[in-house]
């Protein structure tokens, strides 16, 4: 595209020498790697949604995703950037901030916002349009080994999601080579407990209230039956 543009415009502009010199300069900059601005603090950014806001309909509405991603998730990103500016955490990756602040009461605002950014990005990827159905064979084998059947695994995930009192998350995780289901409160994440997250379901009310009101179990069933992204879980097994 860029080369095409250069070819198209160079004759008209009669500045061939200039354009070739410019292209050469761009290539050498790119190959040189690190731009000079790398030392500056990098703000955390809101990861793009892996699908359009309306693609999980009719199970999760575009309105829910619009608020959940565009207001809640974005809010955590904006808050974290304000909270870490000028602190020892300003240059750290999201994962390092989460592990460095976990369990420290005085760091709770930083931990909560950082963990919520991570959890939400993981949640968006835990679903996909036309999800659900049968897990890929390699994952199914692990699920059957740990839970007995895919249905038993889904039942345990649903029970954890429904039983989580108040706000939190239900997770499918890997502990050693065994799959298990855990639930966490508020912003808590299995990342700080030596567990490898494979999938998550957000059970904060903001995840479902516009579509399901108090019927959390119906929301959870729709996620597990129609949206869950088993391929993402398999990728996370590694
Ligand atoms: Mn949420």
């Amino acid at each position: 595209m860029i080369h095409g543009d250069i070819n198209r415009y160079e004759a008209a502009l009669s500045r061939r020498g200039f354009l070739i010199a410019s292209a050469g300069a761009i290539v050498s900059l790119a190959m040189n790697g690190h731009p000079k601005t790398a030392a500056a603090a990098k703000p955390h950014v809101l990861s793009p949604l892996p699908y359009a806001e309306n693609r999980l309909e009719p199970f999760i509405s575009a309105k829910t995703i619009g608020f959940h991603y565009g207001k809640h998730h974005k809010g955590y990103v904006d808050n974290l950037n304000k909270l870490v500016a000028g602190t020892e955490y300003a240059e750290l990756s999201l994962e390092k901030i989460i592990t460095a602040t976990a369990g420290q009461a005085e760091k709770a605002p930083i931990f909560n916002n950082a963990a919520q950014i991570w959890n939400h990005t993981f949640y968006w990827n835990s679903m996909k349009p036309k999800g659900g159905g049968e897990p890929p064979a390699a994952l199914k084998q692990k699920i059957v080994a740990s839970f007995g059947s895919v249905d038993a695994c889904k039942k345990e995930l649903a029970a954890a999601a429904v039983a989580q009192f108040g706000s939190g998350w239900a997770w499918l995780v890997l502990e050693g080579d065994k799959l298990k289901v855990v639930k966490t409160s508020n912003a808590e994440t299995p990342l700080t407990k030596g567990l490898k997250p494979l999938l998550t379901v957000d059970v904060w009310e903001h995840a479902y209230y516009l579509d399901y009101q108090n019927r959390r179990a119906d929301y959870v069933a729709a996620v597990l039956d129609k949206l869950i992204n088993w391929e993402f879980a398999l990728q996370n097994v590694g």
Side-chain angles (χ1 to χ4, degrees), residues 28-147:
S28 67
L29 236 184
M31 290 181 68
N32 198 20
H34 309 283
K36 296 290 180 237
T37 52
K42 279 185 294 182
H44 298 277
V45 295
L46 181 63
S47 297
L49 261 187
Y51 32 74
E53 290 184 356
N54 64 354
R55 289 297 310 285
L56 303 185
E57 290 187 340
F59 310 109
I60 300 179
S61 67
K63 190 174 181 186
T64 289
I65 304 275
F67 279 102
H68 196 178
Y69 173 74
K71 304 288 185 192
H72 291 276
H73 193 178
K74 181 180 185 299
Y76 298 127
V77 175
D78 294 343
N79 287 340
L80 183 68
N81 283 327
K82 284 183 205 145
L83 287 166
V84 299
T87 73
E88 64 197 287
Y89 304 107
E91 303 292 330
L92 298 186
S93 70
L94 195 58
E95 288 81 357
K96 289 211 169 107
I97 293 173
I98 292 167
T99 50
T101 56
Q104 299 180 57
E106 73 279 16
K107 303 294 184 194
I110 293 178
F111 172 83
N112 286 339
N113 283 283
Q116 283 294 79
I117 296 169
W118 195 95
N119 292 349
H120 279 89
T121 301
F122 199 79
Y123 168 64
W124 303 127
N125 284 287
S126 293
M127 301 184 287
K128 64 173 189 177
K130 300 194 176 103
E134 279 287 292
L139 180 64
K140 187 174 174 180
Q141 197 179 2
K142 286 183 181 298
I143 289 175
V144 171
S146 297
F147 297 95

Side-chain angles (χ1 to χ4, degrees), residues 12 16-17 19 29 47 62 67 74 82 101 104 133 138 157-158 168 174 177 187 204 225 229-230 235:
R16 188 185 181 88
L19 287 166
L29 236 184
S47 297
F67 279 102
K74 181 180 185 299
K82 284 183 205 145
T101 56
Q104 299 180 57
L157 261 173
L174 196 59
D177 61 354
W204 285 56
D225 290 339
N229 186 347
W230 295 119
Q235 286 168 32

Side-chain angles (χ1 to χ4, degrees), residues 128-178:
K128 64 173 189 177
K130 300 194 176 103
E134 279 287 292
L139 180 64
K140 187 174 174 180
Q141 197 179 2
K142 286 183 181 298
I143 289 175
V144 171
S146 297
F147 297 95
S149 69
V150 174
D151 270 353
C153 172
K154 285 168 65 179
K155 271 195 187 122
E156 204 172 314
L157 261 173
V162 172
Q164 170 55 35
F165 186 77
S167 297
W169 303 82
W171 305 82
L172 181 65
V173 300
L174 196 59
E175 184 177 44
D177 61 354
K178 196 169 159 54

